[in-house]
Amino acid sequence: MKITAPTLIRAAGLSAVIAGTIFAIILPIQPSEVLTSVNTRSFILMTSVKTVMSIFGLLGITGLYARQVEKTGWQGLVGYLLLTIFFTIQMCFSFIEPTILPLLTGIAPAFVESMLAMKSGVSVSMDLGSLSTLFSFASILFLFGLLIFGIATFRARILPRWAGALLALSGPLAGIMFGLLPHQLDRLTAIPTGTALVWLGFALFFEKTAPATEI
């Protein structure tokens, strides 16, 4: 199979669709983050899928940025870097959940409960040190990354502008709703972000581009 730049861009668009779909559908229905659910199949499955989401998110956002890199300028670069760092950190946390936390429920339940509480936005019973700091840092990267990258996409006028606007608005919306809604409801803020990623991903996948040289 011939590997060309347009082919890679289209594959990145499909990755954005997959990441956005998982983000919009899986996150709102994931199991309750309590100790008794950690060893259940649904918890392990859902958190494993979140790891997959982060991988496709990295690929997707890279393709979205590459397609409009010349038009987005420094704003696009900043947004891209913030989001790629977020997805990398999120991938690490998501990998820990299904592979390590189930092994610790019997010998270190306080640590497991604190990890779950940290993700729920409530006070933790154990000092998690740098893990808590890193998680908070990732959340900030996510909110500002969506805002900046969405604005850059809107201004670039290459991909659907209103998809870029939705992506930009989804960051501040998530931050506001996280502070106002119960944890089970604030997960619904993932829907606008996921929808924007799917929208942009489909636009990238179905976009007609001129033939490019082989890689």
Side-chain angles (χ1 to χ4, degrees):
M1 183 183 69
K2 294 181 179 180
I3 301 177
T4 62
T7 300
L8 293 177
I9 292 293
R10 293 182 73 238
L14 185 59
S15 296
V17 171
I18 295 173
T21 301
I22 295 175
F23 204 83
I25 296 177
I26 297 299
L27 293 189
I29 65 172
Q30 62 182 316
S32 300
E33 291 161 335
V34 295
L35 185 65
T36 54
S37 70
V38 173
N39 283 304
T40 62
R41 290 183 178 178
S42 59
F43 181 89
I44 294 174
L45 175 62
M46 292 294 186
T47 50
S48 298
V49 171
K50 285 167 59 180
T51 305
V52 174
M53 177 202 73
S54 296
I55 295 173
F56 280 109
L58 279 170
L59 298 173
I61 205 69
T62 299
L64 293 173
Y65 175 60
R67 176 62 186 88
Q68 50 187 344
V69 60
E70 295 181 359
K71 295 290 185 179
T72 54
W74 67 266
Q75 208 169 43
L77 176 61
V78 171
Y80 168 70
L81 291 177
L82 292 179
L83 289 176
T84 51
I85 296 172
F86 160 76
F87 278 121
T88 302
I89 296 174
Q90 176 62 40
M91 181 169 52
C92 295
F93 275 104
S94 298
F95 180 78
I96 289 173
E97 289 177 307
T99 58
I100 297 178
L101 291 190
L103 302 176
L104 299 178
T105 53
I107 59 177
F111 174 79
V112 177
E113 289 180 331
S114 295
M115 285 286 291
L116 297 175
M118 177 185 69
K119 294 189 60 189
S120 302
V122 300
S123 58
V124 300
S125 59
M126 176 185 290
D127 183 9
L128 296 175
S130 59
L131 283 177
S132 181
T133 303
L134 187 61
F135 185 82
S136 299
F137 178 62
S139 300
I140 295 173
L141 292 176
F142 178 66
L143 299 184
F144 282 98
L146 291 177
L147 176 63
I148 296 172
F149 192 79
I151 292 174
T153 299
F154 181 83
R155 296 179 62 185
R157 298 175 178 267
I158 293 178
L159 297 173
R161 300 189 73 198
W162 293 113
L166 179 60
L167 190 70
L169 292 174
S170 67
L173 177 64
I176 294 171
M177 293 297 100
F178 188 82
L180 296 177
L181 298 177
H183 182 55
Q184 293 299 323
L185 294 179
D186 68 38
R187 295 174 177 179
L188 297 178
T189 59
I191 295 176
T193 303
T195 301
L197 286 174
V198 170
W199 190 351
L200 291 169
F202 272 126
L204 198 63
F205 182 78
F206 288 110
E207 184 181 40
K208 293 182 180 180
T209 56
T213 56
E214 295 180 25
I215 296 178

